[in-house]
Amino acid sequence: MDTNVSNSWEQRDMQAVFHGFTDLGTLNAEGPVILTHGDGIRVFDVHGKSYIDANSGLWNNVAGFNHQGIIDALCAQARKFPGYHAFFGRVADTTVALSEKLIELSPFDAGKVYYTNSGSEANDTVVKMLWMLHRRNGQPQRRKIITRVNAYHGVTVATASMTGKAYNAEFGLPLPGFLHADCPHYWRFGLEGETELEFSARLARNLEELILKEGPDTIAGMFAEPVQGAGGVIVPAEGYFEAIRPILRKYNIPFIADEVICGFGRTGEMWGSVKYDMQPDIIVASKCITAGYFPMGAVILGKAFCDALMKVSEEAEEFPHGFTAGGNPLGSAVALKSLAVIEDEGLLGNVNKVSGRFMARLKKLGEHKYAGEARGVGLMGAVEIVADKKTKQPLPGHLQISERIANKALKKGLICRPLGQAIVLGPPFIITEAEIDQIFDILEETVDEVFADVGL
Ligand SMILES: *Cc1c(COP(=O)(O)O)cnc(C)c1O
């Protein structure tokens, strides 16, 4: 063993932890941040410095970082029955209770829930469900998956192929048969003189052309986030889902709402797919389902799709798929409590109560000389930095403007996320208006300083 290892947590991290989704230039220059605990919307590092986490961890710590009720629910379940699987028709009682709750909360009249440990696994599971269903129904060629440019659906081989981000070229992805339709971002992709509704109609025509070109009977399903999250908080253009829904119906293409970020209140509604009237066949949930306190993903199958899948699974004797830890009762207890907290302790109500302040401050930041668009809904928002408001031309990439802003904000005790040339915010649902003001006060000061630093 290396006897020269320094004792600082930062150096120990640099020696022992391989970080994914981390800008390694920044990591090498600035070092990691090692956290010990949290309090409300704040987290604390090993030196006692506190940070407001304006991203709720990764969108998921919506009840803050030390919610006693959720912690107690976890501990109580740990004492009662800390672990079991969901194979062979066996399952923990708590997991049954959670399933009933999820169906009740869902827009479906009835259905069933399938458990995974993450959002990626949940989307990946749906791909296999679609493939098996179509294959058993005499359409083995029905395998292509449609998603959209800028979509984020996860990191497994299938879900990275579904994710519409350039970095997946590093892995030689997407795999063949994963198609990417247009991104519904009107500000970025709308044509000169085109209205928002015309834009949505054009995207719907393009989608139909894609389906016809590929062959409607080769398409297994289409996945969409209600609001694209990791794509930079892309709120769908007006009329977008209304325009594409009938096309999917026309060609019998199952529609899956990836609600991993939007689900359970982020947009101000329990479901983003209800807010935008997507009328999906399946809902995929994760992130907020356990308020970030336990790994869990859930595939919520609406009744019609569920019945069809049950039928072919019976023919095959089983649905041959499962994760060892899927449906773990600790996660189920945490989820039951988290959903109760969101519903009954007024967290969803608070999203709506403070969203006005959040959006107002976001729009104000959007008036900055170098802000192109300030967009968002509920408690998710982004400000896109541009070189020129009119042409929407981005600043030169080498300036790394959003990384600079995020790095400087971090020094001032604010965690926010650089995404391309945008700064993305998604604070915990427990946030107050005063705390929202604190976030934007720090951010405004930071933006001015960074533009001064780079000489703009
Ligand atoms: C985070 C995310 C996923 C992936 O979830 P993991 O738990 O990280 O695997 C999938 N879809 C969306 C919309 C997400 O935001």
Side-chain angles (χ1 to χ4, degrees):
M1 202 182 141
D2 186 353
T3 49
N4 286 325
V5 175
S6 154
N7 274 333
S8 95
W9 281 105
E10 289 80 5
Q11 296 208 344
R12 287 166 65 184
D13 170 272
M14 296 294 275
Q15 299 268 0
V17 180
F18 193 120
H19 292 271
F21 283 131
T22 298
D23 183 280
L24 295 176
T26 300
L27 181 67
N28 291 331
E30 313 274 339
V33 178
I34 316 297
L35 301 164
T36 53
H37 67 287
D39 183 15
I41 67 165
R42 287 179 173 73
V43 288
F44 294 78
D45 73 12
V46 285
H47 308 289
K49 181 175 161 77
S50 88
Y51 306 83
I52 295 178
D53 191 331
N55 293 108
S56 312
L58 281 175
W59 303 101
N60 53 352
N61 285 102
V62 291
F65 295 93
N66 61 340
H67 191 286
Q68 283 312 307
I70 303 175
I71 294 166
D72 289 345
L74 175 65
C75 294
Q77 182 66 44
R79 279 187 291 269
K80 182 179 164 239
F81 192 25
Y84 210 74
H85 61 81
F87 288 25
F88 321 127
R90 295 192 277 275
V91 71
D93 54 359
T94 312
T95 303
V96 177
L98 174 63
S99 310
E100 291 170 344
K101 182 71 197 173
L102 287 170
I103 302 290
E104 179 204 313
L105 284 178
S106 82
F108 305 128
D109 297 333
K112 292 189 177 185
V113 184
Y114 188 96
Y115 293 98
T116 69
N117 308 298
S118 68
S120 301
E121 290 172 357
N123 280 317
D124 203 286
T125 295
V126 176
V127 171
K128 286 174 78 176
M129 287 173 166
L130 293 166
W131 286 349
M132 180 170 169
L133 177 71
H134 298 315
R135 193 174 164 278
R136 280 262 160 196
N137 281 338
Q139 293 191 296
Q141 79 291 353
R142 206 170 176 111
R143 291 180 68 81
K144 291 177 191 163
I145 303 290
I146 301 179
T147 58
R148 300 168 306 163
V149 169
N150 259 326
Y152 186 86
H153 297 294
V155 295
T156 62
V157 173
T159 57
S161 294
M162 293 159 66
T163 290
K165 298 260 203 177
Y167 57 70
N168 280 314
E170 292 295 338
F171 309 109
L173 297 174
L175 294 175
F178 288 83
L179 313 173
H180 297 272
D182 299 305
C183 170
H185 190 187
Y186 174 66
W187 175 80
R188 176 57 74 194
F189 300 114
L191 300 176
E192 186 86 39
E194 190 176 44
T195 69
E196 216 165 320
L197 283 171
E198 287 163 359
F199 171 73
S200 292
R202 174 163 65 85
L203 263 50
R205 282 197 303 278
N206 287 352
L207 177 65
E208 183 158 24
E209 270 169 32
L210 174 72
I211 291 167
L212 290 172
K213 181 175 107 250
E214 298 287 335
D217 68 345
T218 69
I219 312 291
M222 175 162 178
F223 291 68
E225 299 155 87
V227 177
Q228 291 187 327
V233 187
I234 311 299
V235 180
E238 187 188 353
Y240 170 76
F241 284 114
E242 288 85 343
I244 67 162
R245 229 174 41 214
I247 293 166
L248 300 176
R249 284 276 148 73
K250 181 170 166 191
Y251 298 107
N252 265 317
I253 296 171
F255 192 25
I256 298 93
D258 181 346
E259 294 255 18
V260 171
I261 286 178
C262 294
F264 311 111
R266 179 60 72 185
T267 65
E269 286 261 5
M270 187 57 81
W271 303 103
S273 54
V274 170
K275 184 172 184 81
Y276 297 107
D277 200 16
M278 289 170 68
Q279 302 180 18
D281 301 290
I282 299 172
I283 285 176
V284 170
S286 186
K287 294 203 167 100
C288 310
I289 195 170
T290 50
Y293 289 20
F294 203 86
M296 172 178 277
V299 178
I300 309 173
L301 303 168
K303 185 161 188 336
F305 187 93
C306 185
D307 288 350
L309 186 66
M310 282 298 295
K311 183 167 164 288
V312 300
S313 298
E314 274 167 22
E315 285 163 21
E317 284 182 16
E318 64 176 4
F319 175 58
H321 176 86
F323 299 96
T324 300
N328 178 293
L330 287 175
S332 300
V334 171
L336 270 170
K337 183 64 188 179
S338 301
L339 300 180
V341 164
I342 289 171
E343 258 194 313
D344 307 333
E345 281 183 19
L347 262 62
L348 180 56
N350 193 56
V351 172
N352 288 304
K353 178 164 164 255
V354 303
S355 170
R357 182 59 151 242
F358 177 73
M359 289 303 300
R361 291 292 312 250
L362 192 74
K363 294 280 175 209
K364 182 159 163 267
L365 189 59
E367 287 165 13
H368 190 279
K369 186 167 160 228
Y370 289 106
E373 187 191 38
R375 55 181 179 258
V377 62
L379 274 183
M380 60 197 302
V383 176
E384 183 100 18
I385 312 290
V386 290
D388 184 314
K389 265 184 196 288
K390 268 224 179 63
T391 63
K392 304 175 186 175
Q393 192 66 31
L395 285 166
H398 69 84
L399 285 180
Q400 295 209 299
I401 204 73
S402 57
E403 281 84 4
R404 279 175 196 263
I405 293 168
N407 293 344
K408 188 149 225 162
L410 188 74
K411 296 220 167 73
K412 295 173 189 282
L414 174 68
I415 292 173
C416 60
R417 182 161 169 200
L419 246 170
Q421 299 243 347
I423 294 290
V424 164
L425 302 171
F429 296 176
I430 55 168
I431 198 165
T432 63
E433 291 189 334
E435 288 169 330
I436 288 173
D437 282 337
Q438 250 179 304
I439 289 175
F440 283 98
D441 290 348
I442 297 174
L443 209 47
E444 282 173 5
E445 185 187 284
T446 306
V447 167
D448 286 340
E449 286 176 17
V450 166
F451 279 110
D453 287 351
V454 300
L456 284 166

